[in-house]
Amino acid sequence: MLEVSGLKVFHGLIEAVHGIDLNVDEGQCVALLGPNGAGKTSTLSAITGIVRAEGAIRLLNENLIGTSVEERCRRGIAISPEGRRIFSSLSVYDNLVLGGALQPDKAQLARDIDDWFQQFPILGDRRHQRAGTLSGGEQQMLAIARALVSKPRILLLDEPSLGLAPQITKRIFDIIRDLKTKGVTILLVEQNAGAAIQVSDYVYVLNNGVISTQGSAADFGDGSALITELTGAQG
Ligand SMILES: Nc1ncnc2c1ncn2[C@@H]1O[C@H](COP(=O)(O)OP(=O)(O)O)[C@@H](O)[C@H]1O
Ligand SMILES: [Mg+2]
């Protein structure tokens, strides 16, 4: 589905990611883990097209490098960004409408949003509420639902559990597992390595802009060795 090769990502003159390769097959959940500052968000930003990048990013064999952000949405890239970035002053419903901005058939969009309210009943209950009044966990659900309304071929999730209490984090990972069961293809960026490994098929570890380790999720066991390594890398 997604094939990234020799990807370099730049912030101005600074090269943050130094030529990485990664693949996500259809229906897989692939984790991109690593300490703070490793280049995870930069990698996702290169895939969505909001930063300068070199190399190849192929979605269904078509290179996205050089195409606009909007074109990439059209081709099936959607993201729940780091920090969620919901539109606080808009209603839950209007946030989802914006997620479906490229859907020309507005009646279909309304039906799709209703379907996501079945999936996320809490959001349905709060459809008329201002998004800024939702709890952190609900805002994260909204950010995920907003991305899904565009019916992406691949869903990018940037630190969905960041700042959430353990109980809420568990709910978010249950949602990710459930989406995977429904066939959604996911590239998951997380600092919560243990939980991410449990929902993933394959794992890449990014350190200082290079992939330092990779393997099938089973190779990482419960992730404790990796967590020790990441904590060491951070401290
Ligand atoms: N907008 C930016 N301008 C300059 N440097 C940036 C910017 N965003 C990220 N960086 C740098 O790029 C590197 C990778 O950052 P980032 O991709 O955000 O890491 P992660 O998401 O893994 O925590 C860091 O050294 C960070 O300081
Ligand atoms: Mg980040």
Side-chain angles (χ1 to χ4, degrees):
M1 179 67 73
L2 180 76
E3 203 183 338
V4 167
S5 55
L7 181 72
K8 293 181 177 179
V9 186
F10 302 90
H11 298 290
L13 294 175
I14 298 163
E15 187 181 299
V17 173
H18 313 297
I20 64 166
D21 299 340
L22 67 88
N23 291 306
V24 185
D25 288 341
E26 184 166 9
Q28 273 192 332
C29 178
V30 169
L32 179 61
L33 310 178
N36 206 7
K40 304 182 298 297
T41 297
S42 300
T43 300
L44 295 187
S45 301
I47 296 169
T48 58
I50 61 171
V51 292
R52 187 164 72 84
E54 289 175 4
I57 301 169
R58 292 192 192 84
L59 185 70
L60 293 170
N61 288 320
E62 288 191 61
N63 199 348
L64 299 178
I65 296 272
T67 62
S68 69
V69 174
E70 185 183 323
E71 176 61 22
R72 294 179 202 208
C73 291
R74 234 178 259 292
R75 293 207 200 167
I77 304 263
I79 187 166
S80 163
E82 187 173 3
R84 290 150 205 143
R85 306 283 185 100
I86 53 141
F87 300 99
S88 315
S89 60
L90 298 183
S91 67
V92 166
Y93 192 86
D94 285 344
N95 269 269
L96 296 177
V97 168
L98 285 175
L102 295 176
Q103 165 65 269
D105 181 346
K106 296 306 170 193
Q108 182 60 47
L109 175 59
R111 285 193 294 274
D112 292 342
I113 291 174
D114 274 340
D115 286 346
W116 288 113
F117 284 151
Q118 305 288 320
Q119 174 89 14
F120 301 107
I122 293 175
L123 297 181
D125 294 345
R126 306 204 184 324
R127 71 180 73 197
H128 301 303
Q129 210 167 303
R130 278 175 37 148
T133 65
L134 300 180
S135 71
E138 290 161 358
Q139 291 191 11
Q140 183 57 55
M141 281 180 217
L142 179 58
I144 294 174
R146 182 183 57 187
L148 288 166
V149 165
S150 69
K151 298 184 182 164
R153 292 186 193 280
I154 183 165
L155 173 66
L156 312 179
L157 298 175
D158 197 348
E159 309 252 15
S161 78
L162 192 70
L164 300 180
Q167 204 52 33
I168 312 300
T169 294
K170 188 181 168 301
R171 286 220 44 203
I172 297 297
F173 278 100
D174 286 345
I175 288 169
I176 294 170
R177 199 177 280 110
D178 191 47
L179 290 173
K180 208 192 131 189
T181 310
K182 292 187 161 68
V184 179
T185 305
I186 300 169
L187 177 56
L188 170 65
V189 160
E190 261 296 334
Q191 284 194 51
N192 188 339
I197 287 167
Q198 283 174 41
V199 298
S200 298
D201 300 291
Y202 199 86
V203 175
Y204 294 92
V205 181
L206 193 61
N207 262 303
N208 296 316
V210 297
I211 303 282
S212 55
T213 315
Q214 62 177 287
S216 67
D219 297 345
F220 291 85
D222 65 359
S224 52
L226 177 62
I227 291 162
T228 309
E229 183 192 320
L230 291 178
T231 319
Q234 252 177 316

